[in-house]
Amino acid sequence: MTDSKKGLLYAFLAYLSWALLSFYWKALGGVPAYSTFAYRIVWTFLTMLAYFFVTGKRQKMTNQLSGLWQSPKSLIRMILASLFIALNWLTYIYAVGNGQATEASLGYYLMPLVSVCLSVFFLREKLALAEWFAVGLASLGVLLLLGLTGRLPLISLILALSFGIYGLLKKQVILSSDLAMLVEAGFILPFALIYLVFFSPVSWFSFSLTEQVLLFLSGLITAIPLLLFAEAVKRAPLSQVGFIQYLNPTLQLLIAVFIFQEGITAGELMGFSLIWLAVLLFIAIQVLRLRQLKEKRHQTK
């Protein structure tokens, strides 16, 4: 198997893992969302810390942390990135645990389009007319959801915006994926501990053995897909890895509708359809660009 194919396999496994995590958080539906989130932060930090010691990467950790500390701009960006990924995690855990996995899946469909918009406004990247049309279709879909259902899909928007801003901030910080996860969990760790010690309505011993095991493993469950994704990006073209990302929300939606039995109203279906159409158009544009790039390469050879 070539390195590129290995990368695509890792990407497939990463997105499949993220999609199947909805079962994991659903199984923790009896635990308050804030408690689940706080324990996830604690165990992610401890898991990643153990990872650096077990794999002999302590020097790498020390060097990169030293470089981060010496760059105030990068440090501030990492703190902000930590807050936005924490908001993303908490929103997703809440959504799945409270019967809103369908709306969560829509947020993951919107993420690439939100990232495109942020890159235009903050990084001054340019969009083709067809790409603007795709963004317009997605926006119309959101407005249609608001008009026909009488409410904004807040969970979808929070998930898409928080992850989009997180990606924008991370683009301006050079840290390896494994260390970034440790740093992000580390920045949120004090708040998680304060909540668990002073404000949590339930204690660790009030959970069932199954819930305790699931919470304990939440750090490992968080780390594995991200490390798979990091390996995928190293080996396969980012454009191809990007296409596979739609496996995640598609599986999430199917799980929400057919397994969790969350209904979709006619108004939601109409709004979702416009957003899906925007996503398909966006993918088609990227495929066309890839073909044009390949043709140019062949011509130059």
Side-chain angles (χ1 to χ4, degrees):
M1 189 181 288
T2 63
D3 238 24
S4 180
K5 286 182 179 177
K6 280 183 183 176
L8 292 176
L9 176 61
Y10 288 141
F12 175 82
L13 291 173
Y15 287 121
L16 180 63
S17 301
W18 275 321
L20 295 178
L21 275 180
S22 55
F23 288 113
Y24 197 89
W25 305 122
K26 190 74 172 177
L28 285 166
V31 179
Y34 290 124
S35 297
T36 300
F37 168 74
Y39 281 116
R40 183 184 186 182
I41 292 295
V42 171
W43 291 118
T44 296
F45 178 80
L46 292 175
T47 299
M48 294 312 298
L49 195 61
Y51 163 82
F52 276 101
F53 278 87
V54 170
T55 57
K57 294 183 177 180
R58 282 177 291 177
Q59 191 61 47
K60 170 189 171 182
M61 178 179 69
T62 305
N63 291 342
Q64 290 197 32
L65 285 176
S66 176
L68 180 65
W69 188 254
Q70 291 170 16
S71 173
K73 284 185 179 179
S74 294
L75 186 62
I76 291 170
R77 286 176 184 136
M78 276 304 299
I79 292 171
L80 290 173
S82 303
L83 294 174
F84 278 106
I85 196 61
L87 175 62
N88 185 273
W89 286 0
L90 180 58
T91 303
Y92 182 68
I93 290 169
Y94 171 84
V96 174
N98 288 272
Q100 293 175 282
T102 304
E103 198 168 318
S105 72
L106 176 63
Y108 286 96
Y109 276 116
L110 284 171
M111 277 179 192
L113 296 173
V114 167
S115 295
V116 166
C117 290
L118 290 173
S119 67
V120 169
F121 290 113
F122 292 99
L123 302 179
R124 305 299 178 189
E125 294 181 7
K126 293 183 179 180
L127 292 186
L129 184 61
E131 288 174 314
W132 277 117
F133 185 66
V135 171
L137 269 181
S139 304
L140 185 60
V142 172
L143 290 174
L144 196 61
L145 283 169
L146 175 61
L148 294 176
T149 64
R151 64 181 183 87
L152 269 173
L154 280 177
I155 284 173
S156 304
L157 293 175
I158 291 171
L159 284 172
L161 285 169
S162 60
F163 198 81
I165 295 170
Y166 166 76
L168 181 67
L169 289 164
K170 288 289 291 292
K171 192 176 179 70
Q172 301 169 72
V173 179
I174 301 173
L175 272 185
S176 61
S177 297
D178 47 8
L179 186 67
M181 185 185 290
L182 176 68
V183 170
E184 287 157 10
F187 281 136
I188 306 300
L189 182 64
F191 302 101
L193 290 174
I194 289 169
Y195 172 78
L196 290 173
V197 173
F198 297 106
F199 300 103
S200 178
V202 289
S203 72
W204 176 263
F205 300 103
S206 64
F207 303 135
S208 68
L209 179 60
T210 301
E211 288 170 337
Q212 288 178 343
V213 171
L214 289 174
L215 288 170
F216 173 73
L217 292 174
S218 61
L220 190 62
I221 292 297
T222 299
I224 288 172
L226 187 63
L227 294 175
L228 283 170
F229 179 75
E231 290 302 311
V233 172
K234 285 179 191 175
R235 290 171 166 79
L238 189 59
S239 54
Q240 293 179 15
V241 172
F243 294 144
I244 302 174
Q245 73 179 304
Y246 292 106
L247 173 70
N248 178 10
T250 302
L251 285 176
Q252 282 188 34
L253 181 64
L254 292 173
I255 290 168
V257 174
F258 294 106
I259 297 178
F260 296 162
Q261 306 221 322
E262 295 181 12
I264 299 180
T265 65
E268 286 175 331
L269 189 58
M270 289 179 68
F272 284 7
S273 296
L274 275 180
I275 292 167
W276 291 327
L277 185 60
V279 168
L280 287 172
L281 177 59
F282 185 74
I283 291 173
I285 294 165
Q286 306 312 312
V287 171
L288 186 60
R289 277 188 178 163
L290 276 176
R291 286 181 179 173
Q292 289 173 345
L293 280 172
K294 284 181 180 178
E295 286 175 7
K296 283 181 181 178
R297 285 172 187 167
H298 284 304
Q299 287 172 1
T300 54
K301 285 179 181 179

